[in-house]
Amino acid sequence: MGTGREINYHILFRIMQRCHQQDFRIKKLLLMCLQSYHQKDDQTLLLSCGILTNSTYSTDPFTRMLAARIFVSIKDSHIFDYFFSVLCRLLKDKDFLVRKTAVICALRLYETEPELFFYENSVPDLLLKSLSDPSPIVVTNTAKILYEIQVEEPKRNIFPINKTVINNLLSILSQSNELKIDIIFCF
């Protein structure tokens, strides 16, 4: 089952049925297979979306993180309509690795569908709330992404530098390594 080879629909649907496994190694393999073969047709794409959406509700944070990364890597503009609500939920997740991945996925959403990113300002608002996250890795990634978007969209005030933002960035300095400190001071 290599890339570029045809896969039988019967086998593909059996793979999709197995995606509710609890073992992370099997789940990872099945989700990676979905990433390779979702492009067959619209029906397969919709089934993949459903499976990836269900995987973002998993109790395992690594499964949620992997599902978000695969969701955003699908190169179809229609997929982001499904991913928008998932992204908003993952930006508020209880695990910091999932939130970090969701912040990176928000940048991918901006690069692919900027009008959906700014839809009702919900994603930028959630990213601004992520600046007060207790995890330094989430804060530095969020600050870097908001800064990049602000440079590309200077007319929008997406990354306001005010007292609250500066206090949040300074509060994580003691918990950060040199790379994160460099990212913060480059603003």
Side-chain angles (χ1 to χ4, degrees), residues 6-23:
E6 283 298 316
I7 184 170
N8 187 338
Y9 273 108
H10 179 68
I11 295 172
L12 184 62
F13 289 122
R14 290 191 60 165
I15 288 172
M16 290 181 174
Q17 290 171 347
R18 300 265 187 233
C19 275
H20 302 292
Q21 293 283 334
Q22 295 302 317
D23 184 18

Side-chain angles (χ1 to χ4, degrees), residues 100-113:
K100 176 194 73 109
T101 304
V103 166
I104 295 168
C105 292
L107 178 63
R108 170 73 180 182
L109 176 67
Y110 169 75
E111 291 170 346
T112 311
E113 296 284 330

Side-chain angles (χ1 to χ4, degrees), residues 5-187:
R5 293 185 180 165
E6 283 298 316
I7 184 170
N8 187 338
Y9 273 108
H10 179 68
I11 295 172
L12 184 62
F13 289 122
R14 290 191 60 165
I15 288 172
M16 290 181 174
Q17 290 171 347
R18 300 265 187 233
C19 275
H20 302 292
Q21 293 283 334
Q22 295 302 317
D23 184 18
F24 177 69
R25 290 176 294 166
I26 294 172
K27 183 91 165 176
K28 179 180 177 183
L29 179 67
L30 295 172
L31 289 174
M32 300 290 272
C33 183
L34 274 181
Q35 182 181 11
S36 300
Y37 293 102
H38 71 274
Q39 303 165 347
K40 284 201 149 297
D41 58 19
D42 290 339
Q43 183 182 8
T44 310
L45 182 66
L46 286 175
L47 284 171
S48 299
C49 288
I51 289 169
L52 291 170
T53 302
N54 288 341
S55 296
T56 60
Y57 286 103
S58 173
T59 56
D60 183 23
F62 292 109
T63 302
R64 294 192 306 269
M65 184 175 64
L66 181 64
R69 289 186 73 84
I70 291 173
F71 220 135
V72 81
S73 71
I74 295 176
K75 294 174 176 57
D76 192 324
S77 61
H78 297 73
I79 199 82
F80 290 110
D81 295 334
Y82 296 100
F83 184 63
F84 182 73
S85 62
V86 172
L87 177 65
C88 291
R89 183 174 40 81
L90 291 177
L91 283 169
K92 298 181 259 181
D93 196 89
K94 63 182 179 224
D95 191 83
F96 77 95
L97 288 173
V98 177
R99 291 190 308 268
K100 176 194 73 109
T101 304
V103 166
I104 295 168
C105 292
L107 178 63
R108 170 73 180 182
L109 176 67
Y110 169 75
E111 291 170 346
T112 311
E113 296 284 330
E115 59 276 351
L116 187 60
F117 179 84
F118 290 112
Y119 179 70
E120 295 181 357
N121 248 3
S122 57
V123 176
D125 289 344
L126 287 171
L127 287 175
L128 284 174
K129 288 178 186 172
S130 295
L131 286 174
S132 60
D133 195 280
S135 171
I137 201 164
V138 174
V139 174
T140 53
N141 282 349
T142 303
K144 181 69 174 159
I145 287 170
L146 285 172
Y147 178 74
E148 286 179 13
I149 294 172
Q150 181 67 49
V151 167
E152 290 183 24
E153 301 269 346
K155 293 182 180 176
R156 296 182 192 257
N157 192 16
I158 192 168
F159 189 36
I161 303 294
N162 55 29
K163 186 176 180 179
T164 309
V165 171
I166 291 173
N167 285 338
N168 289 339
L169 292 174
L170 291 176
S171 68
I172 64 159
L173 285 178
S174 64
Q175 304 168 10
S176 301
N177 61 19
E178 290 98 17
L179 177 63
K180 292 181 190 121
I181 292 171
D182 286 344
I183 290 171
I184 292 170
F185 281 130
C186 286
F187 301 129

